[in-house]
């Protein structure tokens, strides 16, 4: 192996090692961001744990679902793509209204192409994945 190729290999390994070390921290940050976003936007109806027992749940015509059971109710498969479209307003759910409604608002709509909105939606979806009950 040439000296130049050896240096490139060492640099590549160093970059991979740093990236691997940062990945758990990034996942922890995403989990915290998703939990905070969920608490701010969803917990009033769905409850802080996603059980469907939020303080506004009793006032709704249809009770909010237990979001901890999404995978179980979908043959063990977490419905990630469906959730993204519900959260960002592309798929409407009667109880949520349309995506213009303050429950979601345009700030979570990916229709605008906003990278921050996409990141926030993904963080909420990761939070929902993390709270799934077996």
């Amino acid at each position: 192996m040439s000296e130049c190729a050896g240096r490139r290999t060492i640099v590549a390994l160093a970059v991979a090692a740093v990236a691997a070390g940062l990945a758990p921290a990034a996942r922890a940050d995403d989990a915290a961001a998703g939990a905070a976003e969920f608490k701010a936007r969803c917990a009033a109806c769905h409850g802080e744990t996603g059980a469907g027992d939020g303080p506004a749940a009793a006032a709704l015509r249809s009770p909010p679902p237990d979001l901890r059971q999404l995978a179980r109710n979908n043959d063990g498969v977490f419905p990630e793509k469906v959730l993204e479209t519900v959260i960002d307003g592309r798929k409407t759910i009667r109880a949520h209204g349309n995506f213009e409604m303050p429950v979601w608002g345009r700030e979570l709509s990916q229709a605008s192409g906003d990278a921050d909105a996409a990141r926030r939606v993904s963080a909420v979806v990761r939070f929902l994945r993390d709270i799934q009950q077996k």
Side-chain angles (χ1 to χ4, degrees):
M1 180 183 298
S2 73
E3 186 175 334
C4 185
R7 285 186 187 150
R8 280 191 296 238
T9 301
I10 290 171
V11 169
L13 289 172
V15 168
V18 168
L22 294 177
R27 281 193 299 270
D29 289 346
D30 288 346
E37 194 76 41
F38 183 87
K39 184 176 180 180
R41 302 194 183 280
C42 313
C45 296
H46 292 285
E48 288 193 23
T49 65
D53 59 353
L60 301 175
R61 285 191 308 206
S62 299
D66 184 343
L67 299 177
R68 303 168 305 168
Q69 306 297 322
L70 293 169
R72 181 183 289 171
N73 295 336
N74 194 41
D75 296 323
V77 177
F78 181 72
E80 182 170 345
K81 294 298 179 194
V82 171
L83 288 171
E84 288 173 359
T85 63
V86 169
I87 293 168
D88 72 14
R90 288 178 285 166
K91 178 179 181 179
T92 58
I93 293 181
R94 181 176 290 213
H96 292 166
N98 64 32
F99 77 96
E100 300 272 348
M101 193 171 167
V103 172
W104 301 114
R106 284 200 176 272
E107 61 271 9
L108 291 182
S109 173
Q110 290 181 354
S112 66
D114 183 358
D116 183 56
R119 180 192 56 74
R120 291 163 63 194
V121 168
S122 293
V124 172
V125 170
R126 279 190 292 278
F127 169 75
L128 293 172
R129 184 186 313 118
D130 289 348
I131 64 169
Q132 294 305 291
Q133 294 180 339
K134 303 278 184 210

